[in-house]
Amino acid sequence: MANSSFGTNRPIGVAVLGLGNVGSEVVRILLEHADELHARVGAPVVLRGVAVRRTGVERGIAADLLTTDAAALVVRDDVDIVVEVIGGIEPPRALILSALNAGKSVVTANKALLADYTGELAEAAERNRADLYFEASVAGAIPVIRPLMQSLAGDRVNRVVGIVNGTTNFILSAMEETDADYQVALSQAQQLGYAEADPTADVEGYDAAAKAAILASLAFHTRVTAADVYREGITGVSAEDFETAAAFDCTVKLLAMCERLVDPASGNERISVRVYPALIPRKHPLAAVSGAFNAVVVEAEAAGRLMFYGQGAGGAPTASAVLGDLVMAARNKVYEGRGPGESAYAQLPIAPIGDTLVRYHMNLQVDDRPGVLAGVANEFAKRDVSISAVRQEGTGKRARLVVVTHRAPESALADTVQALNEQGFDVIVRSVLRLEGTEE
Ligand SMILES: NC(=O)c1ccc[n+]([C@@H]2O[C@H](COP(=O)([O-])OP(=O)(O)OC[C@H]3O[C@@H](n4cnc5c(N)ncnc54)[C@H](O)[C@@H]3O)[C@@H](O)[C@H]2O)c1
Ligand SMILES: N[C@@H](CCO)C(=O)O
Ligand code: NA
């Protein structure tokens, strides 16, 4: 098996930085499948070293491969490719820059870093004619980066909508299945190891926003950072939201949305990148994505709608994406080629959230007496927001009114909510969620 019919047979040296969930699986696969990787790459792929925070701990790896000096490891002459699976901004940023500046190719799973520093890292890769690959950074094992960068390189992507955070999807699925409230579902997710003790990055949407920035950059050939992404998390989603969503044959998902907006009059283009919990119809393909799974739907002009589904997290699935990148980078080293680099020529402006056209689904508590509904409807009409459905349940002072709108600028909808809130005790806005995945 190891005798490849092509290639140079000069070994390709690999350094792995970080031996946690992902790193230990990367190392395992690298060692266990060395023969197959050799055959696929056209040269032996040899693990030169693994950077860890502490040595002296038994890790099932030859002790002489372990080092605490990551900075020295990444520039070693016998290292061709650096795999960064430490996470966070520093030291990964400095280590990756140092590796690229030394001509090494880099594979990373680090969405937090990429969401803010892709420009800097991509420029260093370009200057040094090295590869920078990051398939694992968005939706783990699911191929989404390479389809956007390569398979769709000749098409025009108009929209990317994804469920890109497994933790929040697990929590929302549990809320739907068990009628549980957010806190109960979060505790369950923590007990089962799906949510971290400090779940902020996931439940407040920061993780999904970082991934949305990466997806939007690739989809629209524009540098997008996490700060450009409008973000709301799931901590305000209630059992009542699921109940009223069900009445409209919808469910609630945390969506990462990247859209090309075209001004019909001028033809000018902008992009909208946003993360928030939203209702989607149960018949929408993303509605069936439950538990910790991820999925990404891409809409392109010629290709139409594509959907990618699978495991967005976990050591082995994420390592699968890392290894895919590693094989590509290794082949390029063997044949002295390069994969595609950053493409950011379009530099489309980012539209503020207020300009985005969305639909709202609102739960109101109203005093059920003549004129109240007319008063509510009037606040929408004043701001040119058209209502598509109204549903009232119950009577008396605590009647529930659900209002669903047609598409309108987010700013007009937000103003309407504020005006309703200021109405006093006749109307209480209990929750507002957007409705996505519908045309109107
Ligand atoms: N776990 C997943 O499911 C998953 C999925 C997709 C992407 N990722 C990304 O992969 C990366 C790694 O995630 P993980 O889950 O393996 O994290 P982890 O915390 O399990 O592993 C990180 C490891 O790096 C080590 N480390 C910290 N500082 C170090 C240093 N200076 N030198 C050497 N080692 C150091 C830590 O001790 C730890 O063992 C992150 O960027 C994460 O966002 C993870
Ligand atoms: N915390 C992330 C891990 C994968 O990036 C999630 O829940 O999906
Ligand atoms: Na991926």
Side-chain angles (χ1 to χ4, degrees):
M1 175 86 75
N3 287 328
S4 159
S5 56
F6 64 99
T8 61
N9 255 7
R10 179 183 78 79
I12 299 297
V14 177
V16 175
L17 314 181
L19 197 58
N21 289 319
V22 180
S24 50
E25 284 298 311
V26 169
V27 168
R28 180 186 64 76
I29 298 171
L30 207 49
L31 297 176
E32 280 180 15
H33 297 223
D35 280 356
E36 278 180 291
L37 294 173
H38 178 168
R40 291 174 196 174
V41 166
V45 180
V46 181
L47 182 64
R48 300 295 192 198
V50 180
V52 292
R53 205 149 41 175
R54 274 187 313 279
T55 48
V57 184
E58 176 47 46
R59 300 175 193 266
I61 295 174
D64 60 351
L65 283 176
L66 300 175
T67 174
T68 53
D69 193 351
L73 176 62
V74 300
V75 295
R76 254 169 59 174
D77 285 342
D78 61 352
V79 167
D80 300 283
I81 302 171
V82 171
V83 173
E84 185 276 310
V85 277
I86 292 174
I89 306 300
E90 295 293 357
R93 175 176 158 271
L95 292 169
I96 290 175
L97 284 172
S98 158
L100 291 169
N101 287 331
K104 321 294 184 191
S105 287
V106 170
V107 175
T108 176
N110 194 332
K111 60 244 162 179
L113 178 66
L114 288 161
D116 283 338
Y117 294 96
T118 295
E120 184 184 26
L121 302 180
E123 280 167 18
E126 197 59 44
R127 257 195 331 272
N128 294 288
R129 307 210 47 75
D131 285 328
L132 172 66
Y133 287 151
F134 44 92
E135 181 60 74
S137 67
V138 180
I142 309 170
V144 287
I145 302 295
R146 196 163 298 133
L148 283 170
M149 281 185 91
Q150 298 188 34
S151 319
L152 293 165
D155 207 333
R156 187 178 156 82
V157 175
N158 288 322
R159 183 183 284 141
V160 181
V161 184
I163 293 173
V164 292
N165 183 269
T167 306
T168 47
N169 203 52
F170 181 90
I171 293 171
L172 294 175
S173 299
M175 288 176 73
E176 177 163 47
E177 280 158 27
T178 62
D179 300 327
D181 238 315
Y182 167 75
Q183 280 302 339
V184 175
L186 170 64
S187 310
Q188 192 196 352
Q190 284 171 322
Q191 277 159 22
L192 292 171
Y194 284 104
E196 305 203 9
D198 176 3
T200 312
D202 292 317
V203 301
E204 296 293 359
Y206 291 102
D207 176 77
K211 293 166 178 167
I214 297 169
L215 291 173
S217 301
L218 301 174
F220 305 125
H221 304 270
T222 292
R223 271 188 195 164
V224 179
T225 65
D228 297 320
V229 183
Y230 176 82
R231 176 194 52 77
E232 287 176 22
I234 65 162
T235 55
V237 179
S238 66
E240 185 184 350
D241 289 327
F242 275 98
E243 201 185 313
T244 54
F248 284 85
D249 214 15
C250 285
T251 185
V252 181
K253 295 291 186 190
L254 182 71
L255 299 181
M257 309 205 46
C258 316
E259 280 179 321
R260 184 193 298 276
L261 310 179
V262 185
D263 180 66
S266 63
N268 287 345
E269 296 190 346
R270 293 183 299 170
I271 58 176
S272 164
V273 193
R274 47 201 208 268
V275 166
Y276 46 58
L279 271 72
I280 53 171
R282 282 205 167 120
K283 62 178 191 310
H284 190 282
L286 290 176
V289 177
S290 64
F293 279 81
N294 283 191
V296 178
V297 173
V298 179
E299 291 173 23
E301 205 170 271
R305 188 189 254 187
L306 305 162
M307 181 159 167
F308 304 88
Y309 167 87
Q311 297 192 65
T318 306
S320 164
V322 169
L323 264 293
D325 283 351
L326 181 58
V327 166
M328 297 273 291
R331 277 194 193 140
N332 290 341
K333 288 283 180 190
V334 170
Y335 293 102
E336 296 176 359
R338 270 189 80 205
E342 186 193 30
S343 169
Y345 65 88
Q347 285 309 339
L348 296 175
I350 314 281
I353 184 72
D355 290 4
T356 311
L357 295 178
V358 292
R359 301 183 70 183
Y360 267 22
H361 172 283
M362 300 163 61
N363 276 336
L364 310 176
Q365 183 181 309
V366 297
D367 187 358
D368 179 25
R369 55 180 178 73
V372 172
L373 178 58
V376 168
N378 189 37
E379 295 300 338
F380 286 88
K382 275 199 278 191
R383 292 164 186 83
D384 219 14
V385 175
S386 173
I387 293 172
S388 88
V390 177
R391 181 192 172 94
Q392 186 180 326
E393 282 167 24
T395 52
K397 287 208 168 297
R398 296 168 65 86
R400 185 159 72 185
L401 194 65
V402 182
V403 179
V404 183
T405 73
H406 286 293
R407 280 195 190 279
E410 169 82 33
S411 55
L413 289 160
D415 279 357
T416 309
V417 171
Q418 194 182 341
L420 290 172
N421 270 324
E422 286 164 3
Q423 286 244 330
F425 45 81
D426 276 351
V427 179
I428 298 169
V429 181
R430 291 179 59 85
S431 79
V432 177
L433 288 172
R434 290 146 190 106
L435 169 60
E436 296 289 353
T438 63
E439 288 310 317
E440 296 147 90

